Every structure is written in C-alpha cells, then in structure tokens.
Amino acid sequence: MEQREVKTPLYGLQILLLVLFCAEARGQEAAAPALDAKTGVVHSQRLRSGVPFGGIGAGAFQMLTDGSIARLPGRTTGTNTPTEMPACFGAVWTRVNGKTETRLLALRNAYGLPGVVVVDYDGLYPQARLSFPNASLPLEASVLAYTPLIPFDLKNSTLPAAAFVYRLHNTSPVPIEAAVALSWGEGYSEESQVASVPDEGGFFSLRLSGRPKSPTPGLERPAAEQTEETTLMAAPPSRDTVVTRAAWNADEKRPGWWDSFAQEGQIPDLAAGTLPSGEANAGVLVVRLTVRPGGTVEVPFAVAWYAAHRYAPSGEDLGHAYQNAFPTSRSVARYLLDNRLSLYALTEEWQKRLLFSNFPVWLSRRLINSATPLTSDTLLTRDGRFVWEGEPGAPDLPLTSLPPETTEQREARLGAFSVLLALYPALAAQEVRHSGSRIALSNGLPPPEEAALYTLLLTQYARWTNDPSLLHREYSHLRRALASLLPAESGSPRTEPDTLSTPDWTLRLAALSAGQSLAELDSAQAFTEALKDGAVGNLASALPRMEADRRLAEACRTALTAGMQRLIAARWTGAYFADAADKTCAADQLFGAWVTASLGTEPLFVPDKLTTALHSLQTKNDAVPGFALAPLRRVDAAGAALPQSAENADCLLPAAVLSEAILAIWQNQADIGVNLLQRLENARNEGLRSPWRSPLSFRADTGQATPDSTKGLAQAADWNALYALTGFGYDPALGRLTMSPKIPGTWRTLTAPVFAPTFWGRVQFKPLAHGGTLSFRLDRFIAVTPQTPERKSGQTRLVLKSLRVPGLLTGAGGAPVVHVSLGPNPLGVRTAADSSGDLIVTFITPLSLAAGDRLEVDVH
C-alpha cells in the first residue's frame, strides 16, 4: 500500500524537531542525508552511532556506519563517546589471472591500509548489513554482522558474542581465488596473551586474554575482575579451504602480517602454543578458498568475549547471566557458529512482523531499532537480576542506597517498559521487583516520584500478563508506595506531598489511577481464589482482604479527584496546564495522561481539557527570536508568557515529546501524531545523526544533548507507538481485547503485528465510508514464567468475553450493525457504544481462541 506523507501545519515543537542540531551546521555546507529515505541505508558516511552487538546485559561494541568498530559508549570506556578499536576489522584478498587486489572493508583505518571508497550500511537492530560497491575487487563482497535476539529466549538473547558472515559472489566467467581476514584486538595491556587453540571439528580459533587497559584514570576495577578473554573463531565453508592465523601487536604502525596476506591471501600460521605476555595483543584469522564462476560463498566468523567476574562496589561478585550456560568464550563462539542459521532465523521473525506490516518504512525501522537499549543499556546478573544501566542501585545489587533519579530517566524507563514486557516478560518482572526493592529499602515512606514509577510498572505488568503471583508478592510494597502518594492520615506528622510543585506531577496522579486499578484487580483475584474450591468458608476468609482493597481503591479515587481539582484550579489557563515553577517542558503535562491512556486506567483529564491542551501545544509553541532553535513556549498561571533564557531552553525531552505524539494518536488525531513521530525520526537521524542511540534530552538553544543525558534508554519508548496505532490493549481480568486502530486519513488500511506478553497476533483494519472491517488472527501463545512454583504457566487458549472495536465514523446516521465471526462461523454478540465512539462487543458465550484462529468484525 502506498502511503503518502501526512501534511499538517508546522507548529513550534515540530519546527524545533525539524531544525534540531542545525546550529552546528550554520555557515557550513549542508550535510548529506544520514539515511536513504526509502530504504534506511546509510551511504558512505560516519554517523555518531551504529548497531550495538552483544546480548542483553552483555553488549560490548558497535559497528559504525563507515565499517569501523568501536566500544559502546559508557559500557566499557567510562565515556559518552565511541572509542574506536583500530585492530578490529575485516579485509578481502582476491587473485584472478595473476592479478591480486586487497581491501580493508572500511572507509578509513588507523594503519594506512588500502580501504574501500563506498560503504552501504543497513542497520536494523540487532544486525548490520554492509556492502561495498566499487570496491576495486573482481567479485562482490558484503558482510552480515549480528547478535541473536530471540524474544522469550534468554539463553540465546544473552550471548556475549557476534557473528560476522562474509559473502563473496563471483559474477565473472572464471574462478577467483579469494581470502577473508578478520582481525580482532581488545586493547589488552602488555600483560595480555594470544594463543592458538587446537582445531576441533573444523573450527579454527585464537584466544586473546589479559588485563584490559584502564579506559580512564580512576576507573580501575577490582583486581579479580581484570582477567578477561576473547575468542576469534572461523568455520571454513568447505574441506579444501585453507585457514591460517597470526598474533600481532595492535600498537604497530602497520600489521606485520598484512604484506603476506596481500601477496598470497594467507599468512604464516601460528599453529599452536601461546605467545609470551606483551608480544601481541591482537589476533587475525584468514580463510582462503576459490569461488567458482557465478558462485557464492559465505565465510562465517564469530567473536565472543567472557569475563569470569563482575564486581559491584560493595564487593559482591554479580557475574553475568551467560555464565549459567557457557564456561568459556570459546564455547560461546562454537555455539553461535554451530547454530547461526537457526538463531538468525528466529531473530528475524519478530523483525519481519514489523517489516511486513504496511507501516511506512521509516516507522517499521524505528520500531525495530527501539529495542536497541536491550543491548547497549542493560545489566543482567548471574542470578537473573535485571536493571537498566544507570538505574538507581543498578551498579550495586543488592541495593544499599537510593541515588536520585531525574525526571528524564524516570520517563525514559517507564517508556522502555513496554518493549521489555512484550519481548521478555521475565525480565520485566525482574525490573518490577528491583523497583519494589527500592521501595522496601526506603527509610520511612519512599520518595513520591519513586513510588509513582513503581506503581505504574507493577500495574502494566499485572494487567498485561494475568500473572497475579507477582502482584501478590509485591502488594505490601505497593501499599507502602501508595501511602506516600495519598494524603496523610489525621494526626500524622508527614507533610502531604506538593504534587503541583514537582516535574513528576502527572506521573503521581497517573499512579493514583493505577493504584485504584491494582486494588480492584487484587480484590477480584481474592474472590477468584476463594471460589476455586467452591467452599463458603474460603469466601468468608477473603472478605477482609477484599474490604481492604475496596478502601484502598476508594482512597486512590478520592485523592485522584481532589488532585485533579487542585491542578485545574492552580494550573489551568484555559489553554493548557501552565508550569508555574518553569522547570519542565510544556509537553511533560501530557506524560501521565499518555500513561493512563496506554494502561486503560482512570483518565487524568476530562476529554475537553485534554483536547484543548493538545491543540494548544500544537499551535502555541512558537519560535522565539534570538534562539538558534525554538524552545517551547511557557506561560504562567494567568496565561502570560514567561521570559526565555538559555537556562530554561533544555526542554526537549524525547520521551515527553513522544508521549504527546502517542497521546494525539490515542485521541483520534493520528495525522498529527504520526507527523510528530516522523519529525522525531528526522531529528534523531538528520540532526543528532545517531539512529541507534538517543539522548534523554536536548538543549533548545544549542541543539546539543544536555549533560549526563547521552544514555540510549529513551529510544526504547518508541515501541509504545505500535500500541497506539493498532489501538491494542488486553485486560485479562475482564477478558477484553481492544482493537481500535487509529490511523491517519491518508492510510487506506492497516496491517500490523500484535505483541503481547502471552500471545502474538496480527490485526487488519479497513475503514469504510460507513463503518469498517477488522480481523484479528492469533498466531501463537507464549508461556509466561510463573512467579510462584504452584501456578501453572502456558496458556493454550485465549478466552474473551468482550471486544472493543472502532464504531461508525462521526456523523454517520443510524445505529451500527455489527457482524462477528470466528472463521466461517457467525457469533452471537451484544453491542454498546462507549464515550469515545468505540463499540463494546460482548459475546453471548465467552469465546475461546486457539493459535491460528481468525476473528472477524464487520461494522456498518
């Protein structure tokens, strides 16, 4: 389906995004577009980031868009910029009719070796495809680099390794001798060693080990953690392949093995043994073969790393998750090469679900790349504890303190939870438990902003997984968290939190809405458990718990109502909610509203005020003279404009702006929301020039990332746009599936995947002049790991009591007629319209869906 660009008037925030980072380029010739608009390919440029490699909690390096390799910022370097690894590169040698050609497969290198002049880089996390047109080689060369990332499969998604598959295609009528070299050097110090591992089963490898150089003075780690190792391994594609290997010193001006490789396509072989410490800190494997006329050969390599320890500042050895499955880096590399085809196919499955949708190419790629922080910004310990890097308490588990967390970090972490819950619900449960442990360790009541975040994370997990065991385990923490958000009891010395004076005020109100939902969910669960055996006594014993839940839900409802009344009285200008303290972005006021819309809990704002606030943000954020970039317009409680200054110009928060776009889509303003999403995409690609790493915030006056905001976690929030566009939601307690697509007027249909923690499916929607048709196909179920051993996991059927779908278009006359069928079989239903115009379709008999079933709805 052809989709045209959504055209809406530019407003201040969009202008800000459109010209983001233009200050750097003033007075200079405009840079070439970072990405090809049609394909997403980067043509012969060095952008600020590349696809990161390594599994969840094990990421270590990235392949940049010019073909070079660098360490991930902040993970292994202690800095916020990529640190190149000059000894890591691939090269190709050819000989035909006595003429040889040799090229290092990157635009530049530190050793002055002949390289390529063109690189086409297609980065789609967790893989990068590089091709080299006009490489002055007699054959076509390309490389596929990837790390497995398979939803719900933690063993195969935490590998500390990456595969490099070199593809050589001979288009000539004569055979061509060819060789591929892969060099690797981790920057080990003079105490490092390089060893040639005995061949086994046709696999050839080198082992690099030693003490890593300290990346920055003062960042030395405990001595017991210093011993690390890396394995470089090749799997020759045929028996007549010749493999040679060598060790070399990466500090040399020119690799000592290069001349031999350039002349003969092989090098003097280090067949066995270990070089003395200090003589070499890098290794190279060379695979030489013949490519027949018209033939294609793939040469696979693997790079795997392994650290026996990972120490927290407290001294505890946290270790790494991959240590539970693999004893050495060599075992990881061998496993990856043995299973590379199946691991790659399973990785592609979730990507293809998005690529085969009819979303615009840029949007499908944005959603896929939103999962990038799973590699670049996570920690996963040997005993399964998971946190985002930079999360309070993350470097020192178990927790001993509560370091402060900024608004930007909280919003980004909350936005990232959806992709974690959709692809790895077991890790989402760990994230909830980690957040709950911070609540438990607080002296007195926890900080309200921390309590709000925890409540919202727990709500999303509990409502989406139908796993009451975690809610039951965390319920004491939840009550403690809500106590810090509710008004103080009579006689209490505690001061009531001033919700209106904090940047997190809408998150706190959203948490009250979520707390009400959780209390009702726990009450329903208590009732279900009491009736499980059909005993009247069980119900009587559950009544105190249900009554406590009722009182908690009522307290949350009352506090939410009162909080909104105070907010309206103090902040509402008739246009939107002003920030009297002038410390947050105007868009921040909508973050909590987006959260409640996504969760399906009690909304914060009445519809007319929400509509008005959205309209004001879209029309009144005008450019201000004197600023290189347009900051958001700010007003006081009376609606008067506040003065602009550099100090309050750092107001562009990608997570907050994304919430505005997503909320606009949820509010049936899909044209505006998708337009804003595309401007965010342009800002990241063409302004920041970092498609795989988004900072938490930007300065509006300079276009630069604000200090300490270069972590890439904000990027994961993009995943939430998928749920807004498909209008997807699932409430297992009610047995209700929501499928109410919100698509721009220029989109004629919608075909998109559905990702839920317990099942995957696909939705197809076609709006008509009077109504529309919608179908949902259930593809497969996923078993969620139970949080208690007693509970059985793994649904085989999806039981639905009701369905929420789009109603008639506004202005259509007459009551809607709804036909529902399961495959060819019609179903008996009752329908009713809700306040949003959607239809609630209730099945006369609860419906049970199995994998492969197709549910179809026709509204006219």
Side-chain angles (χ1 to χ4, degrees):
M1 182 193 75
E2 180 180 354
Q3 297 191 3
R4 295 170 292 175
E5 180 183 2
V6 179
K7 296 184 178 179
T8 59
L10 291 177
Y11 49 93
L13 180 57
Q14 293 173 328
I15 293 174
L16 172 60
L17 293 169
L18 201 61
V19 300
L20 188 60
F21 292 97
C22 68
E24 282 189 2
R26 282 186 301 170
Q28 303 178 9
E29 185 178 350
L35 302 180
D36 187 303
K38 294 183 178 180
T39 63
V41 173
V42 180
H43 299 292
S44 302
Q45 296 184 69
R46 170 72 171 266
L47 303 186
R48 296 183 183 181
S49 66
V51 173
F53 294 112
I56 299 172
F61 70 91
Q62 58 185 320
M63 176 166 276
L64 299 176
T65 56
D66 63 352
S68 58
I69 294 173
R71 292 181 176 86
L72 285 176
R75 290 302 302 272
T76 52
T77 63
T79 67
N80 289 322
T81 57
T83 301
E84 286 200 48
M85 303 166 69
C88 302
F89 59 83
V92 171
W93 168 91
T94 61
R95 180 160 62 194
V96 58
N97 296 327
K99 182 180 179 180
T100 62
E101 295 285 352
T102 311
R103 290 290 181 272
L104 187 148
L105 300 181
L107 292 179
R108 60 181 181 179
N109 63 87
Y111 303 103
L113 304 176
V116 296
V117 295
V118 177
V119 175
D120 288 342
Y121 182 101
D122 184 5
L124 202 59
Y125 174 79
Q127 58 175 294
R129 294 179 180 271
L130 290 80
S131 57
F132 311 93
N134 306 317
S136 300
L137 295 171
L139 46 68
E140 297 176 354
S142 62
V143 60
L144 167 65
Y146 67 93
T147 291
L149 190 85
I150 303 169
F152 312 99
D153 183 350
L154 282 177
K155 174 188 175 182
N156 289 316
S157 299
T158 57
L159 299 181
F164 293 83
V165 182
Y166 291 84
R167 188 175 186 271
L168 307 177
H169 177 53
N170 182 3
T171 59
S172 73
V174 298
I176 297 177
E177 295 178 83
V180 177
L182 181 60
S183 172
W184 202 265
E186 289 283 0
Y188 291 139
S189 68
E190 64 278 0
E191 298 182 26
S192 62
Q193 290 183 334
V194 179
S196 177
V197 181
D199 305 339
E200 180 179 319
F203 292 85
F204 298 79
S205 60
L206 287 171
R207 178 178 179 270
L208 288 64
S209 62
R211 295 182 58 191
K213 294 179 180 178
S214 177
T216 305
L219 291 182
E220 290 281 2
R221 290 170 290 179
E225 191 182 3
Q226 294 286 355
T227 302
E228 298 182 0
E229 65 175 33
T230 301
T231 292
L232 175 62
M233 181 176 288
S238 60
R239 292 184 177 181
D240 57 354
T241 301
V242 177
V243 180
T244 51
R245 52 203 153 178
W248 63 289
N249 194 323
D251 295 329
E252 297 172 0
K253 291 185 177 180
R254 181 183 177 90
W257 53 269
W258 180 265
D259 290 339
S260 177
F261 174 68
Q263 293 170 9
E264 298 297 331
Q266 58 187 48
I267 54 182
D269 189 34
L270 175 66
T274 301
L275 293 180
S277 298
E279 290 191 7
N281 56 14
V284 59
L285 286 176
V286 178
V287 178
R288 176 175 164 168
L289 42 75
T290 299
V291 186
R292 70 178 191 276
T296 301
V297 174
E298 289 188 345
V299 184
F301 294 83
V303 176
W305 52 95
Y306 198 97
H309 306 279
R310 179 188 171 275
Y311 287 93
S314 64
E316 181 187 5
D317 184 2
L318 303 176
H320 304 84
Y322 55 75
Q323 291 176 286
N324 294 316
F326 302 98
T328 63
S329 61
R330 186 172 186 274
S331 62
V332 178
R334 174 67 183 268
Y335 178 83
L336 179 55
L337 289 178
D338 271 335
N339 301 279
R340 68 179 182 89
L341 295 178
S342 60
L343 293 176
Y344 182 70
L346 291 170
T347 298
E348 274 197 314
E349 181 193 2
W350 68 273
Q351 294 179 313
K352 286 182 175 179
R353 286 176 175 267
L354 288 162
L355 292 173
F356 291 171
S357 70
N358 67 346
F359 289 148
V361 172
W362 67 266
L363 181 55
S364 295
R365 296 177 66 91
R366 183 179 179 89
L367 293 171
I368 292 171
N369 286 328
S370 71
T372 299
L374 291 175
T375 286
S376 60
D377 291 270
T378 56
L379 300 172
L380 186 58
T381 66
R382 186 168 47 238
D383 61 0
R385 287 175 283 180
F386 171 87
V387 291
W388 297 103
E389 188 181 349
E391 184 177 344
D396 193 9
L397 298 170
L399 300 173
T400 58
S401 62
L402 289 172
E405 189 174 24
T406 65
T407 299
E408 295 93 331
Q409 290 171 321
R410 276 188 292 274
E411 289 182 350
R413 194 147 60 87
L414 184 59
F417 192 70
S418 291
V419 67
L420 190 68
L421 183 56
L423 303 183
Y424 297 96
L427 295 183
Q430 290 291 338
E431 166 75 353
V432 171
R433 295 177 65 181
H434 178 78
S435 186
S437 67
R438 291 199 297 276
I439 300 296
L441 287 173
S442 299
N443 292 323
L445 292 178
E449 60 275 8
E450 189 67 37
L453 178 62
Y454 166 69
T455 302
L456 292 169
L457 293 176
L458 179 59
T459 302
Q460 188 170 357
Y461 181 88
R463 287 175 64 92
W464 278 55
T465 61
N466 196 26
D467 179 9
S469 57
L470 184 64
L471 175 59
H472 182 71
R473 174 181 291 182
E474 295 286 316
Y475 206 69
S476 61
H477 301 334
L478 172 66
R479 295 188 67 92
R480 196 159 182 257
L482 290 176
S484 72
L485 301 174
L486 292 170
E489 298 180 359
S490 177
S492 171
R494 179 171 66 92
T495 302
E496 180 181 348
D498 184 3
T499 306
L500 305 183
S501 65
T502 169
D504 304 275
W505 51 269
T506 60
L507 280 186
R508 297 189 188 187
L509 293 175
L512 290 173
S513 174
Q516 174 187 334
S517 171
L518 285 180
E520 293 169 348
L521 182 61
D522 185 72
S523 179
Q525 180 60 30
F527 182 77
T528 300
E529 292 174 356
L531 295 183
K532 184 164 47 178
D533 299 325
V536 177
N538 290 343
L539 181 58
S541 63
L543 289 178
R545 174 180 166 189
M546 296 171 64
E547 175 60 18
D549 286 334
R550 187 196 65 78
R551 290 197 301 268
L552 181 59
E554 182 61 28
C556 290
R557 184 183 301 108
T558 301
L560 175 60
T561 302
M564 286 307 306
Q565 290 174 347
R566 290 179 57 211
L567 180 64
I568 292 172
R571 297 284 188 85
W572 182 249
T573 67
Y576 61 97
F577 294 93
D579 176 16
D582 190 32
K583 292 181 179 178
T584 59
C585 300
D588 278 351
Q589 66 184 262
L590 299 180
F591 199 85
W594 158 68
V595 171
T596 55
S598 300
L599 292 177
T601 59
E602 189 76 20
L604 297 189
F605 307 135
V606 293
D608 61 334
K609 285 186 170 55
L610 182 56
T611 300
T612 301
L614 274 171
H615 177 74
S616 298
L617 285 174
Q618 295 156 11
T619 58
K620 295 188 176 182
N621 286 337
D622 301 322
V624 177
F627 277 73
L629 303 173
L632 293 176
R633 180 176 183 268
R634 299 161 185 261
V635 299
D636 60 20
L642 291 166
Q644 300 294 331
S645 65
E647 286 72 24
N648 63 24
D650 56 338
C651 60
L652 179 57
L653 311 180
V657 176
L658 182 72
S659 73
E660 181 184 345
I662 294 174
L663 190 57
I665 296 173
W666 277 113
Q667 296 298 312
N668 293 309
Q669 300 181 48
D671 296 84
I672 292 173
V674 171
N675 186 259
L676 184 52
L677 283 173
Q678 189 160 21
R679 280 163 172 74
L680 273 169
E681 177 74 359
N682 292 340
R684 184 168 70 194
N685 295 341
E686 306 303 334
L688 183 61
R689 299 178 74 79
S690 182
W692 299 278
R693 195 168 184 84
S694 294
L696 292 173
S697 60
F698 305 107
R699 286 191 63 89
D701 56 338
T702 64
Q704 298 298 314
T706 55
D708 302 321
S709 71
T710 54
K711 295 293 183 184
L713 180 57
Q715 190 151 346
D718 295 346
W719 185 267
N720 295 279
L722 174 64
Y723 298 120
L725 288 166
T726 59
F728 170 75
Y730 176 56
D731 188 336
L734 294 178
R736 175 175 295 175
L737 181 67
T738 297
M739 282 291 166
S740 183
K742 319 288 185 182
I743 62 176
T746 54
W747 294 18
R748 303 183 182 206
T749 62
L750 174 72
T751 301
V754 169
F755 294 93
T758 55
F759 63 87
W760 282 1
R762 194 166 191 84
V763 60
Q764 292 179 303
F765 174 63
K766 184 175 182 179
L768 303 174
H770 298 287
T773 61
L774 180 143
S775 68
F776 168 70
R777 187 187 70 202
L778 182 63
D779 290 338
R780 65 184 175 98
F781 288 99
I782 293 96
V784 175
T785 303
Q787 297 302 306
T788 54
E790 303 84 37
R791 183 175 181 269
K792 295 180 179 179
S793 64
Q795 292 175 295
T796 57
R797 292 186 178 275
L798 177 65
V799 178
L800 299 179
K801 298 177 182 177
S802 63
L803 186 69
R804 181 178 174 184
V805 297
L808 293 176
L809 298 176
T810 303
V817 178
V818 180
H819 297 287
V820 181
S821 61
L822 181 60
N825 305 313
L827 301 174
V829 298
R830 294 187 299 268
T831 61
D834 69 3
S835 59
S836 69
D838 285 345
L839 293 176
I840 305 300
V841 180
T842 304
F843 301 105
I844 295 176
T845 301
L847 176 65
S848 181
L849 294 180
D853 282 345
R854 180 185 291 272
L855 183 65
E856 297 183 339
V857 182
D858 181 11
V859 180
H860 61 274

